[in-house]
Amino acid sequence: MDIYGLPEYEFQWGLNLTESGLINRLQERLNDTSTYLPKICAVGDSHSRYMTRWSLSALNLTGMFQNVGSNWPDANNIESKLEGMHCERLFVQVGQWPASFQTRGHPFSFGKYHDQVKQHVQNILKTLENNPNGMVYLPTLDQGPLMGRIDNCSDWRTPTMMDGYSFLNQMIEKELNTTRVKYVDTNFIIYPLWDGHVDWQHLLDDARYRKTIYMTALMLGELDGLDLD
């Protein structure tokens, strides 16, 4: 039995540039010491760490960004975690643990998630006060397989819950009303291969690679002028 999803799957970017061409652009940016490369920080737990550790390595982009560990929306401690790191582009992924078994039966309500993530982002913005080009990105939450913990109601990371948290990320962007915070819709990458990772909690490698490519290109401005259907 094939447990790895759809072997005939072929992803379509909808860009007037091939995937390999986009990767080449990013590799050139990383290796070109004559041009400015802003420091990118991935704030979160394993979904950010896997992108930093595994996806960048597979794409020959090691060093493109750095992981900042943050399991939860942690407004009280995020400033100290970022102190001295000089992050300029930060993408924040702290929505997995609030809906997971880690809550010990008390997943974050939509209201609690909204309030805590909003304050988390506001405190990150404080670290960028002296950087006029600093940006915070809130991507769509990653979907995960319908594992046994969901079936027995000890984990709540269902598609509906993750979509709800993603909608709240959009609300936070609108409420903060600043060009420094941007919601990023990655569902066009996640939805086609959302349910299939062998550990039952993360994106398939192919989906994670493409999300890493897209997020990196977006934060570096490499998507400017490319058509995305």
Side-chain angles (χ1 to χ4, degrees):
M1 180 178 69
D2 179 13
I3 64 171
Y4 295 101
L6 303 173
E8 301 301 323
Y9 168 77
E10 180 181 351
F11 184 79
Q12 299 292 330
W13 277 99
L15 296 170
N16 52 3
L17 184 69
T18 64
E19 181 172 301
S20 60
L22 190 53
I23 295 171
N24 288 339
R25 276 195 180 191
L26 298 178
Q27 291 171 343
E28 289 171 2
R29 283 291 301 273
L30 178 63
N31 295 319
D32 184 358
T33 57
S34 67
T35 59
Y36 173 69
L37 187 70
K39 184 170 183 181
I40 299 174
C41 293
V43 180
D45 191 50
S46 58
H47 288 249
S48 292
R49 188 174 66 252
Y50 285 15
M51 291 173 70
T52 305
R53 183 178 300 172
W54 307 121
S55 296
L56 291 180
S57 176
L59 297 166
N60 292 319
L61 293 171
T62 299
M64 181 64 85
F65 49 79
Q66 185 173 345
N67 182 230
V68 179
S70 184
N71 303 334
W72 309 89
D74 187 13
N76 292 330
N77 295 303
I78 190 60
E79 289 179 80
S80 62
K81 289 181 178 181
L82 293 172
E83 186 176 358
M85 294 193 67
H86 309 294
C87 301
E88 298 173 85
R89 307 280 190 275
L90 302 98
F91 65 97
V92 179
Q93 302 186 114
V94 291
Q96 296 291 326
W97 278 41
S100 77
F101 67 95
Q102 300 284 359
T103 62
R104 300 182 185 278
H106 300 282
F108 284 24
S109 67
F110 289 148
K112 182 177 180 178
Y113 176 87
H114 168 274
D115 294 346
Q116 293 203 12
V117 173
K118 185 175 181 178
Q119 188 61 57
H120 188 75
V121 172
Q122 287 175 315
N123 286 1
I124 291 174
L125 287 172
K126 292 179 183 178
T127 71
L128 299 173
E129 287 178 348
N130 296 321
N131 186 338
N133 298 315
M135 287 286 298
V136 179
Y137 297 86
L138 293 172
T140 303
L141 271 77
D142 294 345
Q143 300 282 359
L146 298 174
M147 55 184 162
R149 285 197 183 112
I150 291 177
D151 189 51
N152 65 26
C153 296
S154 60
D155 197 296
W156 293 266
R157 284 175 289 179
T158 62
T160 302
M161 190 72 151
M162 296 293 92
D163 282 345
Y165 281 3
S166 293
F167 178 73
L168 294 169
N169 283 354
Q170 296 178 65
M171 286 183 61
I172 291 167
E173 177 205 38
K174 290 180 172 63
E175 290 168 359
L176 293 178
N177 192 29
T178 170
T179 57
R180 288 174 170 262
V181 178
K182 180 178 179 62
Y183 169 74
V184 183
D185 188 346
T186 57
N187 278 332
F188 76 103
I189 296 171
I190 294 170
Y191 276 175
L193 287 178
W194 71 275
D195 186 359
H197 198 280
V198 293
D199 76 355
W200 297 98
Q201 297 188 70
H202 296 90
L203 293 178
L204 281 166
D205 290 349
D206 283 352
R208 191 180 70 248
Y209 294 160
R210 291 189 173 105
K211 179 180 175 181
T212 303
I213 295 167
Y214 181 68
M215 287 298 303
T216 307
L218 176 72
M219 290 185 287
L220 294 179
E222 292 295 335
L223 294 178
D224 296 348
L226 300 179
D227 295 328
L228 181 62
D229 295 338

